[in-house]
Structures are given as C-alpha cells and as structure tokens.
Amino acid sequence: MTRVIIVRHGQSGYNTERRIQGRTDASTLTEKGRNDASIVGKALSNILFNAIYSSPLQRAKHTADIIHSELATHREQSAVLQVSDLLLEIDLPLWEGLLSAEVKQKFAEDYRTWHQRPDELRMLLNDAQGTREHFPVPALYEQARQFWQVILSSHHQGETILIVGHNGINRALISTALSIPASRYHSIQQSNCGITVLNFAGGLGEPVQLESLNQTQHTGESLPSLRPDHQGIRLLLVRHGETDWNRQTRFQGQIDVPLNDNGRQQSQKAGEFLQEVAIDFAVSSSMLRPKETAEIILKHHPNLKLELQNGLREISHGLWEGKLEAEIEQEFPGELQRWRLVPTQVQMPEGENLQQVWERSVAAWESIVQAALTNQLKTVLVVAHDATNKTLLCHILGLSLENFWNFRQGNGAVSVIDYPCGIDSLPVLQAMNITTHLGGGVLDKTAAGAL
C-alpha cells in the first residue's frame, strides 16, 4: 500500500479570532501553532517519508517547515519539502478576512446553505471577463482529485507520503479518496495539527483504507474539541478488545469468544484513555467480548449502568464461524475473495449478509441517539464489533455498503461521532480509529484480525 499521512496546519491567528481564512495569506501561526507543529514532527519522527508536500500558504508552509526540521533532527530524511498549489485551501473570496459572525449576519441565506448544503453554495464573482459563478466546494473536490491523480501516479507502492494542508482541502482529499459526496463536506473534521492516515492500493478509485482520522492526542487533546455552538450529543464508538480468535485470524461472528489477556489490557488502556471524559450513558453489543470491554472501561465510571443491544451484535458468518481463512477457502472456494472485493454480494452460508447487519445496527444506533437526546445526555459510550462499526461508519458518512472495507477498526480503538444539532442534523465523524492509547503511536499496531 502507499501510505499517505495528512496533517492540518497549526493554530493560526485567524483560527483564534474565528475569522474566515480561505486563500488569504494574511494569517500566520500562533505560538501554540508553532509548538504543536513541532510536536507533530516528533510524533512522526519514527516514520521515513519518501515525499513531503505542502500548501504554499504560509500557515501550512510554516507548519510543514517545522515538521520537516523535526524529522531531520530525529532521523535521516531524504525527502525534500515540495509546495503544490493543488493543496491551496478552499476559495471563499467573498468571505475571506471576515469573522464567522459577520458572514452569518451579512450573508445569512448563503451561510445557511454553506452549513446545510455546502455543495450548493454559489458565489458570483466579477473579473475582467465579467461575472462568473463559483461553487467553492465542488471546485475544491475537483482540485483534490487532481492532486491524487498527480501524486499517486508519481509514487511507487510501499512509499510513505506526508501532506500538510488545511481543514477544507484535507477534508476534500479524504472525501474524494473514500467517495464521500461533496454534500457531506462538513461530515468529517480536521483539527489544527490533527493527523489522518490513508492507505492506497493503487490510484484514485482503487481500494483505499482510512486507517485513522484526525488524531489529536499528541497535541494534548485526548478527543477533538467540540465545535463552536455544539448543542447535540457525542458518541464514542469502540471496538472490543482482542480475542485469541482475532490473534489467530479465526472467524468469530456470533460465536461468543471472550477477550484474551491482551484484549483485557487493551480495554483497561481504553478505560484509562476515557477516564476523564464525562460519559452519561453506555451501551454494548450483548455479546461477551464487547460487554467485557465495556465493563472494564466503565470501572472508571462506576455509577453508569451498561445497557445491552442485540442489534449491535457482530455479523453472523454462519458456517464460516470457527474456521481459519484456509479452511473457508477449501470448503467455499472463491467466496473469501468475493467477501474482500464485493462484500455486499456475499450471503454468509446459514448466516447474514451486510444489508441485514446494516438494518439492525443502524436501527440500534438511531435508538441510542434518540434516547440520548430525549434524556438530554451529552456523551454516550457504544462498544461493538468490527463489521458492526464499519457498517455504522458507512451510515454516518452517507456511504453505501460497497465502502465497507474502507475503514479500519483496531481492537480497543475509539472513534468519535458528534450530532452537533441533534438527530435531524448530519452527524460529524470527528475522529476515527484512535489507537495511540494502545502504545502504537500514530500508526495502528493492533491485531485487527478476523471479524
């Protein structure tokens, strides 16, 4: 795989003022922005990069320079920092330099469109040729596609690439890689100096895996901070700890395999990672491995009662359960390959298909969200399984089940989903597959194993 690590620039003066930056180059890094950039460099210092690309805007370029300097200090790096105009931030010429509050007041209707239907936001611009229409988000997505087409074709499989950009272009890069539509532009987030990891099997349109999204632990934020004006709920989606069958890559499905010692340690570390979070409500799949994971996490929250949901159970693999991949291949030749390539077309023998998992897990998820809103709860812990979590991530991002394999879920990993305006608003994937608490650093070192 070609590994691509994406970083957003450090905090800038315009960020602190809540001022629209876009392509203006007036905004520079704050002291915190410079310090966080240095911390990112240290966090990435054990990784050898074959190429480093940055936006030319000074807040990103300065961040990249600091990271590059740290990398060179900690190990011999051969990569030269290259600047690309295809990493410029989203172009919002009528709003740049204004405070968000001013835009909200002066461009009220457009501001609503920006938040509710960002792909439809239109600006009328006057230039030497007259008046022209500008659609900022679709233009940004096209720019992101061009960047991928240039970069992925320029690098060999197995190389590692670092990109330093902005909130908007980074979102567009991630979205175009995963086929997230422009209408969901606000459905993923990029914090200042947050780290995202993508693994490409080939070019744009070929298989890609989102290994992690918006890691912020290195900057001192265990979880990404709530966005301004957040009034809804936050869900912490956790995959259960490791089992012996995960380690052996033996298909578990709905066979009730307990955690192994490493799985219990992973659960303890997840509990320590979340111990300062004010969790109001906790739900788990009714199966043993997530239930035990949740109970270990909740030792830090002794007043919470754990609710069990059958709808969050792992996919039933039917006759595959209890078998290793080689055994499945022998008994059901070609089916494992189909499961990896076209998972939506596979009916597990005497088990489930992904659509069935989708229907029950999404129903359970929406009932959890509704219960939290009804009871005015703020933060909910949900512990489930690999396939269940991947299915829920497709739902959260408005993707079809064809995208099932695009998401990695490590044992004991934490993902963060916000509903900033309640259940009627689109959810936001703030972070995904956080595993730093498990000792792996920036990269996921868990034994993801069979489902």
Side-chain angles (χ1 to χ4, degrees):
M1 303 286 266
T2 302
R3 172 168 282 143
V4 179
I5 296 179
I6 301 175
V7 176
R8 184 187 174 193
H9 64 76
Q11 183 194 75
S12 69
Y14 275 28
N15 288 147
T16 61
E17 296 167 15
R18 295 194 62 193
R19 198 175 290 278
I20 306 295
Q21 299 185 106
R23 294 192 174 175
T24 180
D25 209 11
S27 184
T28 58
L29 295 183
T30 62
E31 183 179 358
K32 174 176 169 52
R34 293 190 295 273
N35 289 339
D36 285 348
S38 178
I39 292 168
V40 172
K42 292 182 177 73
L44 299 176
S45 62
N46 64 333
I47 299 170
L48 180 63
F49 290 99
N50 301 98
I52 304 174
Y53 297 95
S54 168
S55 160
L57 298 176
Q58 61 178 330
R59 58 191 185 272
K61 177 65 165 51
H62 192 185
T63 301
D65 284 334
I66 294 170
I67 294 171
H68 190 243
S69 177
E70 284 289 348
L71 293 175
T73 299
H74 286 83
R75 67 180 294 169
E76 189 175 337
Q77 292 278 344
S78 58
V80 176
L81 175 58
Q82 302 175 66
V83 169
S84 171
D85 285 349
L86 293 174
L87 293 175
L88 282 165
E89 179 58 307
I90 187 169
D91 191 14
L92 298 167
L94 301 184
W95 294 1
E96 287 169 5
L98 298 176
L99 296 170
S100 293
E102 292 176 319
V103 174
K104 189 175 183 179
Q105 182 180 16
K106 293 180 180 178
F107 302 90
E109 188 59 40
D110 284 344
Y111 193 75
R112 272 193 296 274
T113 301
W114 165 248
H115 278 284
Q116 296 171 7
R117 303 181 309 280
D119 54 316
E120 296 179 20
L121 175 67
R122 182 184 69 149
M123 292 184 172
L124 292 177
L125 307 179
N126 295 311
D127 55 26
Q129 283 73 43
T131 302
R132 63 181 177 88
E133 287 186 321
H134 172 54
F135 290 87
V137 174
L140 187 70
Y141 275 52
E142 181 54 36
Q143 175 187 318
R145 288 187 196 95
Q146 289 178 27
F147 179 82
W148 285 134
Q149 285 159 358
V150 170
I151 297 308
L152 293 175
S153 62
S154 304
H155 291 279
H156 301 295
Q157 291 296 98
E159 292 192 347
T160 301
I161 301 164
L162 175 63
I163 294 168
V164 182
H166 308 263
N167 190 3
I169 184 59
N170 288 7
R171 287 196 236 172
L173 288 169
I174 298 160
S175 294
T176 50
L178 299 172
S179 301
I180 299 170
S183 59
R184 294 288 191 130
Y185 173 72
H186 296 301
S187 288
I188 55 175
Q189 195 50 252
Q190 293 283 282
S191 302
N192 289 120
C193 282
I195 297 173
T196 295
V197 182
L198 283 165
N199 298 312
F200 288 86
L204 191 63
E206 294 183 65
V208 59
Q209 179 198 62
L210 182 63
E211 180 176 313
S212 64
L213 173 79
N214 203 29
Q215 299 180 59
T216 57
Q217 297 70 48
H218 50 285
T219 65
E221 278 196 335
S222 294
L223 305 176
S225 57
L226 293 169
R227 300 292 292 164
D229 306 320
H230 177 100
Q231 297 175 349
I233 63 168
R234 165 164 284 187
L235 295 101
L236 307 175
L237 181 63
V238 178
R239 185 186 176 197
H240 64 76
E242 184 187 277
T243 69
D244 283 338
W245 284 21
N246 284 143
R247 177 61 59 179
Q248 298 162 14
T249 67
R250 191 180 295 275
F251 278 68
Q252 298 175 112
Q254 295 191 358
I255 293 179
D256 229 359
V257 182
L259 298 180
N260 61 17
D261 286 344
N262 187 45
R264 283 185 279 275
Q265 287 179 1
Q266 289 172 329
S267 303
Q268 287 167 4
K269 288 175 180 176
E272 291 163 7
F273 177 64
L274 298 173
Q275 65 182 335
E276 301 300 325
V277 179
I279 298 172
D280 303 304
F281 185 43
V283 186
S284 167
S285 157
S286 54
M287 297 186 68
L288 186 60
R289 52 196 186 268
K291 179 174 177 286
E292 190 178 356
T293 301
E295 288 169 347
I296 293 171
I297 293 171
L298 291 179
K299 287 180 179 177
H300 296 279
H301 308 270
N303 297 325
L304 282 182
K305 182 185 175 185
L306 181 63
E307 180 181 305
L308 302 180
Q309 281 261 14
N310 285 329
L312 295 175
R313 290 165 69 88
E314 183 57 294
I315 184 172
S316 170
H317 283 300
L319 298 180
W320 290 14
E321 292 184 354
K323 292 181 169 63
L324 297 168
E325 290 188 358
E327 296 171 319
I328 294 170
E329 180 58 33
Q330 188 174 4
E331 290 185 44
F332 305 93
E335 284 300 289
L336 263 181
Q337 185 72 348
R338 290 183 67 239
W339 171 237
R340 293 189 189 103
L341 296 177
V342 285
T344 56
Q345 298 177 26
V346 175
Q347 172 66 54
M348 298 294 170
E350 298 185 21
E352 291 182 297
N353 57 45
L354 278 182
Q355 183 61 35
Q356 290 170 305
V357 179
W358 172 288
E359 289 168 3
R360 60 174 171 80
S361 62
V362 168
W365 179 263
E366 291 185 339
S367 73
I368 293 164
V369 172
Q370 189 60 62
L373 290 168
T374 301
N375 294 290
Q376 296 185 307
L377 305 174
K378 290 294 183 185
T379 306
V380 182
L381 174 70
V382 181
V383 185
H385 307 260
D386 191 10
T388 314
N389 289 9
K390 287 174 176 172
T391 300
L392 289 172
L393 289 166
C394 288
H395 165 68
I396 288 159
L397 292 175
L399 295 170
S400 74
L401 285 170
E402 275 79 13
N403 295 88
F404 176 79
W405 290 116
N406 286 144
F407 304 103
R408 183 173 171 90
Q409 290 290 283
N411 292 113
V414 178
S415 298
V416 183
I417 299 98
D418 286 350
Y419 285 77
C421 303
I423 198 169
D424 294 328
S425 64
L426 290 176
V428 180
L429 185 61
Q430 289 279 2
M432 192 210 77
N433 202 40
I434 301 168
T435 59
T436 50
H437 54 285
L438 304 172
V442 167
L443 303 178
D444 182 353
K445 301 289 180 59
T446 64
L451 303 181

